[in-house]
Amino acid sequence: MEPFVMQEKGLMLRLTGWESKWPQLVAGFSTRNGGVSRREYESLNCGLHVGDTVEHVIQNRRKLVEANGFSFASWTCAEQVHGSNIRVITDDDVGAGRMAHSDAIAETDGLLTDKRNVFLASFYADCVPLFFYAPKAKAQVIGVAHAGWRGTVARIGPKMVETMRKIWAIGPENIYAAIGPSIGACCYEVNDIVADEIKNVLGAKAFRVLTETREGKYMLNLQETNRILLERAGILPSHIEVSHLCTSCRSDVFYSYRKEKGKTGRMTAFIALKEG
Ligand SMILES: [Zn+2]
């Protein structure tokens, strides 16, 4: 069953299974619908770095965060550079990047926090969003990480797990993860440079995620690649949810960098803990 369920008149998909199990948690993924952006950004574009009108993006972000019961001041985001740097959010970081891309947490693709009322936001148009939640830790911890193929082979998923152990002494058996809507193996063709990187990181299991279609070309299942890496990092298979929604197939719902040839908006993967 698809873990990301359409809610709020098509504005977003929510991890309803997580939210009903843990009522203090809010987690999901915005769509491209219900916002004010125009042209190729129509309409709920949340990316400030893609050439859209700044006021429109801010209006869209406000709508999304408020529909989730949080204030715009809690919106916290990073620069996202297809790397594997992770930031543990401090009080000074809260609100970073919500009004201007230049204020976002620099050179960072993973965010973690044990603070309440911090709306962690991360942006997508085909890359894989990874969600993390440790409900049993003394301080509950949430996280989100941006995993395109570069972040994936840089092991951003396992690094999120390692950081949770290092900072909060959380074992992987106490972590839940979700892999969100992103470009599927149906649409994601890569060359042998990318395929070789995937083979390096997955070893013998690479055959499960790469299908050679013609000389030097492969279809890549980046969701399964991340799932395997999270499982190797110690997360229980039963604690990992995987979306089957392809951002390129479903251009009625999602922006797709590949399908729209680079000129498009961004969805937001979000996770936050309510007060109390
Ligand atoms: Zn597809």
Side-chain angles (χ1 to χ4, degrees), residues 8 11-12 15 23 69 71 112 125 127 133 144 155 173 201 207 215 227 244 247 273:
E8 319 284 339
L11 198 69
M12 65 185 96
L15 272 165
S71 73
L112 284 166
C127 287
Y133 182 44
V144 65
R155 300 176 68 258
E173 68 283 0
V201 75
F207 77 94
E215 185 67 39
R227 201 197 61 75
H244 301 100
T247 47
L273 286 168

Side-chain angles (χ1 to χ4, degrees), residues 112 132-134 141-143 159-171 175:
L112 284 166
F132 297 87
Y133 182 44
V141 174
I142 53 172
K159 283 181 182 173
M160 291 286 282
V161 175
E162 287 156 23
T163 306
M164 290 167 90
R165 185 200 291 276
K166 212 157 56 184
I167 306 288
W168 292 282
I170 297 167
I175 298 173

Side-chain angles (χ1 to χ4, degrees), residues 79-104:
E79 188 188 3
Q80 295 181 212
V81 291
H82 294 278
S84 62
N85 288 338
I86 294 160
R87 174 78 145 243
V88 176
I89 299 300
T90 64
D91 284 333
D92 286 347
D93 293 327
V94 177
R98 71 189 192 283
M99 304 284 281
H101 188 57
S102 56
D103 289 344

Side-chain angles (χ1 to χ4, degrees), residues 45-66:
N45 170 40
C46 290
L48 273 174
H49 60 296
V50 295
D52 192 5
T53 308
V54 171
E55 297 77 61
H56 288 168
V57 177
I58 291 174
Q59 221 175 307
N60 291 338
R61 289 179 170 188
R62 273 188 194 278
K63 182 169 183 176
L64 180 65
V65 72
E66 286 167 8

Side-chain angles (χ1 to χ4, degrees), residues 121-139:
S122 168
F123 310 111
Y124 300 84
D126 289 341
C127 287
V128 179
L130 305 177
F131 300 77
F132 297 87
Y133 182 44
K136 285 190 199 145
K138 216 192 296 171

Side-chain angles (χ1 to χ4, degrees), residues 26-241:
V26 165
F29 194 68
S30 68
T31 68
R32 69 182 301 163
N33 300 318
V36 297
S37 292
R38 300 189 195 123
R39 306 189 316 276
E40 55 266 66
Y41 309 109
E42 193 174 333
S43 63
L44 193 68
N45 170 40
C46 290
L48 273 174
H49 60 296
V50 295
D52 192 5
T53 308
V54 171
E55 297 77 61
H56 288 168
V57 177
I58 291 174
Q59 221 175 307
N60 291 338
R61 289 179 170 188
R62 273 188 194 278
K63 182 169 183 176
L64 180 65
V65 72
E66 286 167 8
N68 278 290
F70 292 85
S71 73
F72 184 52
S74 69
W75 182 290
T76 305
C77 57
E79 188 188 3
Q80 295 181 212
V81 291
H82 294 278
S84 62
N85 288 338
I86 294 160
R87 174 78 145 243
V88 176
I89 299 300
T90 64
D91 284 333
D92 286 347
D93 293 327
V94 177
R98 71 189 192 283
M99 304 284 281
H101 188 57
S102 56
D103 289 344
I105 295 164
E107 289 178 41
T108 295
D109 286 83
L111 300 172
L112 284 166
T113 192
D114 60 4
K115 295 181 184 304
R116 305 272 168 154
N117 267 327
V118 180
F119 192 82
L120 298 181
S122 168
F123 310 111
Y124 300 84
D126 289 341
C127 287
V128 179
L130 305 177
F131 300 77
F132 297 87
Y133 182 44
K136 285 190 199 145
K138 216 192 296 171
Q140 294 179 42
V141 174
I142 53 172
V144 65
H146 167 245
W149 75 263
R150 286 176 198 279
T152 301
V153 301
R155 300 176 68 258
I156 191 163
K159 283 181 182 173
M160 291 286 282
V161 175
E162 287 156 23
T163 306
M164 290 167 90
R165 185 200 291 276
K166 212 157 56 184
I167 306 288
W168 292 282
I170 297 167
E173 68 283 0
N174 290 320
I175 298 173
Y176 289 76
I179 297 170
S182 37
I183 193 165
C186 40
C187 297
Y188 192 30
E189 187 180 69
V190 298
N191 60 24
D192 45 13
I193 298 168
V194 176
D196 285 348
E197 297 267 11
I198 297 288
K199 287 175 189 168
N200 279 341
V201 75
L202 283 192
K205 279 197 171 166
F207 77 94
R208 282 172 51 177
V209 304
L210 286 166
T211 309
E212 191 165 9
T213 47
R214 55 202 161 100
E215 185 67 39
K217 295 288 182 189
Y218 300 79
M219 302 311 286
L220 170 59
N221 186 335
L222 203 51
Q223 296 80 11
E224 176 65 7
T225 307
N226 276 284
R227 201 197 61 75
I228 292 169
L229 291 174
L230 291 175
E231 203 182 304
R232 280 190 192 161
I235 302 185
L236 301 172
S238 62
H239 288 185
I240 306 175
E241 305 281 351

